[in-house]
Amino acid sequence: MAQLLHTMLRVGNLERSIEFYTKILGMKLLRQSENSEYKYTLAFVGFDEESTGSAVIELTYNWGTESYDHGNAFGHIAIGEEDIYARCEAIAAAGGKVIRPAGPVAGGATEIAFVEDPDGYKIEFIQMSSAEKGLG
């Protein structure tokens, strides 16, 4: 059966991004590789390895590129969480940026929150008790 392996994000400062995803979001640095010929470094972060069925995030640093135009097509990455309220408090206490506090979605009962990584990518947290029901 096919499996979603990872989502790739281009980042402007690899160390800063690794610190955010590991120390603030609680993921693990799974592996890292450097390609000096083509001048890029990859770091894979996640809550577990792809071999367990878990999807991960590939952070790509193209040497010398400090920022990217995100355009208007990409929306966010979603993460299921047992307690999004406590998670947002912990993220804020660790210096993370909570851009939409935890609470019900507009016009519905699903509880969500949004944070932003150092490069401006949005990460949605969805209360696990309603994650599979869809928004509403």
Side-chain angles (χ1 to χ4, degrees), residues 87-108:
R87 178 63 119 157
C88 285
E89 287 178 18
I91 288 170
K97 185 177 181 182
V98 177
I99 59 172
R100 195 263 194 209
V105 67

Side-chain angles (χ1 to χ4, degrees), residues 12 16 23 26 33 42-43 75 85 89 97 101 106 112-113 118 123-124 131-133:
R16 179 183 68 190
K23 294 190 172 137
S33 64
L42 306 178
Y85 297 89
E89 287 178 18
K97 185 177 181 182
I112 65 169
I123 301 160
E124 178 183 27
E132 293 183 359
K133 298 175 189 171

Side-chain angles (χ1 to χ4, degrees), residues 2-134:
Q3 174 189 333
L4 179 62
L5 295 175
H6 66 261
T7 296
M8 185 271 272
L9 300 175
R10 290 182 176 90
V11 300
N13 180 313
L14 187 60
E15 292 76 28
R16 179 183 68 190
S17 293
I18 291 171
E19 184 172 327
F20 173 80
Y21 284 94
T22 59
K23 294 190 172 137
I24 294 179
L25 292 192
M27 294 180 178
K28 297 181 261 184
L29 176 60
L30 303 172
R31 62 188 174 282
Q32 189 170 335
S33 64
E34 187 173 283
N35 186 311
S36 57
E37 180 181 357
Y38 292 101
K39 297 182 168 89
Y40 67 85
T41 305
L42 306 178
F44 291 81
V45 294
F47 295 109
D48 211 343
E49 295 282 350
E50 297 99 325
S51 61
T52 67
S54 183
V56 305
I57 298 172
E58 173 188 334
L59 303 171
T60 298
Y61 173 63
N62 294 299
W63 300 357
T65 303
E66 295 183 13
S67 65
Y68 292 91
D69 176 7
H70 292 184
N72 61 3
F74 179 78
H76 62 269
I77 294 169
I79 297 173
E81 183 67 53
E82 291 300 321
D83 184 348
I84 64 173
Y85 297 89
R87 178 63 119 157
C88 285
E89 287 178 18
I91 288 170
K97 185 177 181 182
V98 177
I99 59 172
R100 195 263 194 209
V105 67
T110 303
E111 295 169 292
I112 65 169
F114 276 90
V115 301
E116 191 173 82
D117 86 351
D119 289 280
Y121 293 109
K122 309 296 186 275
I123 301 160
E124 178 183 27
F125 284 97
I126 303 174
Q127 194 79 6
M128 282 302 290
S129 60
S130 59
E132 293 183 359
K133 298 175 189 171

